Amino acid sequence: MPGKLADVARQARVSEATVSRVLNGKPGISDATRQAVLTALDVIGYERPTNLRSRKARMVGLVVPELANPIFPAVAEVVAGALAQRGFNAVLCTRTGTMSEAQYVEMLLERQVSGMIFAGGQYAEADAPHDHYTRLKQLRLPVVLVNAAADRIDFPRVSTDDAVAMEQAYAHLTYLGHERIGLIIGPLDHVPSLRKLHAFEQIAARIADAPDGQLVERTRFSIEGGHAAATKLLVRGATAIVCASDPLALGAVRAVRRAGRRVPADVSVVGYDDSVLMACTDPPLTTVRQPIEAIGRAAVEMLVGQVEGSPVADEELFFEPELVARGSTGAAPVAQG
Amino acid sequence: MPGKLADVARQARVSEATVSRVLNGKPGISDATRQAVLTALDVIGYERPTNLRSRKARMVGLVVPELANPIFPAVAEVVAGALAQRGFNAVLCTRTGTMSEAQYVEMLLERQVSGMIFAGGQYAEADAPHDHYTRLKQLRLPVVLVNAAADRIDFPRVSTDDAVAMEQAYAHLTYLGHERIGLIIGPLDHVPSLRKLHAFEQIAARIADAPDGQLVERTRFSIEGGHAAATKLLVRGATAIVCASDPLALGAVRAVRRAGRRVPADVSVVGYDDSVLMACTDPPLTTVRQPIEAIGRAAVEMLVGQVEGSPVADEELFFEPELVARGSTGAAPVAQG
């Protein structure tokens, strides 16, 4: 194929004769030139001849919805580092832009990855498209999911225990004297949010004798979503608000101030994740920390285990969160009247 | 190779005979089974037989030092999204952990990537090891660097204009009446810091007739580094501090408060990057925004251009930053005495 030879020669900045000598394993070529020719094949996208191939790429897809919420880069950093130590590279897929999760899965399969780790993906949304997970299951590709998945999706999972997180937040706030505690969670079909809601209602029933369905709001995971939802909870008399993410909590703080009130003197706010910089926010955020380091490392161990042929059960491992008390929570305001 | 057949059969959960039929292109195998067998080859790390190979992986290494400073996930998100739109996947390499940049470069070459994009790497440190860049140059691998590089390293670069950033910060502070303006930058050999220092000294000489070398501190890029450096500048009478990153600025805010003074009533602080959440810090941070979206997209265009064979000059493209004024800067305090 003369076109191919010419392409490679141009990319490697050598003659076509040299390319030909390298591809046919002829002597008289310096190692530097040989490497440059092989690299040119890689760049253009041609396969290397079988006898010149290095060992097979060992790559793992890492699929996250976005990197703007700092919890996702934190997960990505732990996972990519742990994979590298095991000799794998992480192929980063963020759903920002025009690519869907299913399209990324197709790309990753084309790249012949050894497995995929999903964090915060469509598996967590009961009503989202799940066909690509079914496909991965049929292909027997090693997959690990981070945090709760919809019922039908059966892969090994590593999760922060949402129920414990709610118990910690609720206990902290009742200790501070709060009785009207609101909850802001994600969309209706978001499984980790449903788990938090379930735990929250159980605790409320146990402590307050009557769960207050009026004090729950669902919204999109963003500062703006938290702001909108908190505004509604304030109108209904909440003196404390537990949020299902740190950005939601930052939005709730904003809403309290927009309503002319103070955090924490008038209203306490608790976040979820303890992502980076939460000690630098105004006020420093009290939040439930996900054990990201432990979760990320466990996800990699479970994935590499599958790749190396040791069976890993399709079960969910739960990791304990911890409440980090900072400046956004305080004693409940003294009731008026 | 019976061992190989058995491995693949176990991974794909089919018989060895089925694996053999797939590998030899025999009929009578369902498409789902065929796909599962090919996937099992990928997982275990065996090459697919030539006739069953899908098109060559098109991957680009994305090397960043860490993801804790939110500017790096922001770059990674833009780059990964833009690459995906052009049909490439980003292989994420963060230097956190035990892997060196040179080791990541080796891994990426083994993976036969089509190119590499570096952001905030060792190219920016004049005294760091640079042999792996020399190697990439010899291999003619397409490479793009984000922000200033050491003199000897010659690849296409896309940079925020450090001099313009310093002019914007300095002009903002002198307009507010500040005369004792300090600067916190990175280590001695960090090229973007040196550029900022050079611009800062030129502006100071022009405006104040005498550059004040006493008001410059070098430190590690972290909140703690900013805290330590700012403490020294406060002792020397700085009423405003310009920092070479947002985490440095958050550390400077901390130092001002630890010294019993207020931001911005007593001391103004300016950051650099405008990474995510800087509007939620205490106080909201005045900072110079790097045009990350434009820079990330340009880096991908320049890389894909090289991969597709159009020559891209080893030159540096400069992008203009913009100062975002928030709550950490205010009028200079009235001089005492």
Side-chain angles (χ1 to χ4, degrees), chain B residues 166-316:
Chain B
M166 287 303 100
E167 280 166 21
Q168 291 173 342
Y170 213 103
H172 175 65
L173 292 169
T174 51
Y175 179 80
L176 290 167
H178 291 276
E179 291 174 354
R180 302 223 16 111
I181 302 173
L183 177 68
I184 300 177
I185 51 179
L188 205 58
D189 70 331
H190 186 247
V191 183
S193 290
L194 290 173
R195 286 189 178 175
K196 289 190 180 74
L197 175 61
H198 185 65
F200 188 85
E201 288 181 336
Q202 282 201 321
I203 303 161
R206 204 167 64 220
I207 293 178
D209 264 346
D212 196 339
Q214 298 286 314
L215 288 179
V216 175
E217 281 294 328
R218 291 185 172 85
T219 185
R220 287 169 53 89
F221 279 106
S222 66
I223 290 178
E224 295 72 22
H227 184 158
T231 301
K232 295 182 198 164
L233 292 176
L234 292 174
V235 171
R236 288 183 229 137
T239 67
I241 301 174
V242 178
C243 302
S245 82
D246 286 339
L248 284 177
L250 296 175
V253 168
R254 218 181 253 188
V256 172
R257 291 183 176 151
R258 203 57 57 87
R261 299 162 74 186
R262 294 158 301 168
V263 177
D266 300 316
V267 180
S268 289
V269 175
V270 179
Y272 180 77
D273 283 345
D274 193 31
S275 36
V276 70
L277 296 184
M278 289 305 129
C280 297
T281 57
D282 177 23
L285 194 68
T286 297
T287 186
V288 179
R289 178 182 294 164
Q290 290 205 63
I292 287 306
E293 182 80 25
I295 284 183
R297 292 192 166 275
V300 168
E301 286 312 305
M302 289 164 82
L303 192 94
V304 172
Q306 292 177 71
V307 171
E308 290 176 348
S310 28
V312 173
D314 285 345
E315 63 191 3
E316 186 168 10

Side-chain angles (χ1 to χ4, degrees), chain B:
Chain B
M1 333 168 206
K4 175 170 170 174
L5 275 190
D7 287 352
V8 175
R10 189 164 54 240
Q11 173 68 35
R13 283 174 238 157
V14 298
S15 70
E16 290 186 36
T18 301
V19 174
S20 178
R21 293 190 72 81
V22 171
L23 296 184
N24 294 306
K26 296 280 170 63
I29 304 285
S30 75
D31 194 53
T33 302
R34 204 180 66 91
Q35 289 297 331
V37 169
L38 293 179
T39 302
L41 288 175
D42 300 340
V43 170
I44 297 171
Y46 293 136
E47 288 286 345
R48 294 184 181 195
T50 314
N51 54 325
L52 299 175
R53 219 171 279 152
S54 57
R55 73 183 173 84
K56 176 79 166 54
R58 301 267 272 181
M59 281 172 306
V60 171
L62 170 58
V63 186
V64 296
E66 43 139 341
L67 293 176
N69 177 345
I71 194 66
F72 293 116
V75 172
E77 184 155 32
V78 173
V79 167
L83 282 173
Q85 284 175 343
R86 301 297 300 262
F88 290 83
N89 276 136
V91 181
L92 177 70
C93 304
T94 68
R95 269 155 58 198
T96 339
T98 56
M99 298 280 295
S100 71
E101 196 174 280
Q103 285 172 317
Y104 268 122
V105 165
E106 274 315 305
M107 278 185 106
L108 290 170
L109 288 172
E110 267 181 19
R111 270 63 173 153
Q112 303 175 16
V113 294
S114 299
M116 300 185 194
I117 295 176
F118 291 82
Q122 287 175 353
Y123 60 87
E125 301 159 37
D127 302 337
H130 290 157
D131 289 352
H132 52 291
Y133 298 111
T134 311
R135 172 122 192 271
L136 294 175
K137 197 78 197 174
Q138 284 165 349
L139 289 171
R140 274 79 117 183
L141 192 85
V143 169
V144 174
L145 309 178
V146 174
N147 283 332
D151 276 344
R152 299 174 307 281
I153 301 176
D154 232 15
F155 290 110
R157 281 149 285 157
V158 284
S159 304
T160 302
D161 194 326
D162 290 295
V164 172
M166 287 303 100
E167 280 166 21
Q168 291 173 342
Y170 213 103
H172 175 65
L173 292 169
T174 51
Y175 179 80
L176 290 167
H178 291 276
E179 291 174 354
R180 302 223 16 111
I181 302 173
L183 177 68
I184 300 177
I185 51 179
L188 205 58
D189 70 331
H190 186 247
V191 183
S193 290
L194 290 173
R195 286 189 178 175
K196 289 190 180 74
L197 175 61
H198 185 65
F200 188 85
E201 288 181 336
Q202 282 201 321
I203 303 161
R206 204 167 64 220
I207 293 178
D209 264 346
D212 196 339
Q214 298 286 314
L215 288 179
V216 175
E217 281 294 328
R218 291 185 172 85
T219 185
R220 287 169 53 89
F221 279 106
S222 66
I223 290 178
E224 295 72 22
H227 184 158
T231 301
K232 295 182 198 164
L233 292 176
L234 292 174
V235 171
R236 288 183 229 137
T239 67
I241 301 174
V242 178
C243 302
S245 82
D246 286 339
L248 284 177
L250 296 175
V253 168
R254 218 181 253 188
V256 172
R257 291 183 176 151
R258 203 57 57 87
R261 299 162 74 186
R262 294 158 301 168
V263 177
D266 300 316
V267 180
S268 289
V269 175
V270 179
Y272 180 77
D273 283 345
D274 193 31
S275 36
V276 70
L277 296 184
M278 289 305 129
C280 297
T281 57
D282 177 23
L285 194 68
T286 297
T287 186
V288 179
R289 178 182 294 164
Q290 290 205 63
I292 287 306
E293 182 80 25
I295 284 183
R297 292 192 166 275
V300 168
E301 286 312 305
M302 289 164 82
L303 192 94
V304 172
Q306 292 177 71
V307 171
E308 290 176 348
S310 28
V312 173
D314 285 345
E315 63 191 3
E316 186 168 10
L317 299 185
F318 287 100
F319 288 75
E320 291 258 315
E322 59 187 13
L323 185 126
V324 184
R326 297 199 185 95
S328 66
T329 47
V334 178
Q336 295 169 327

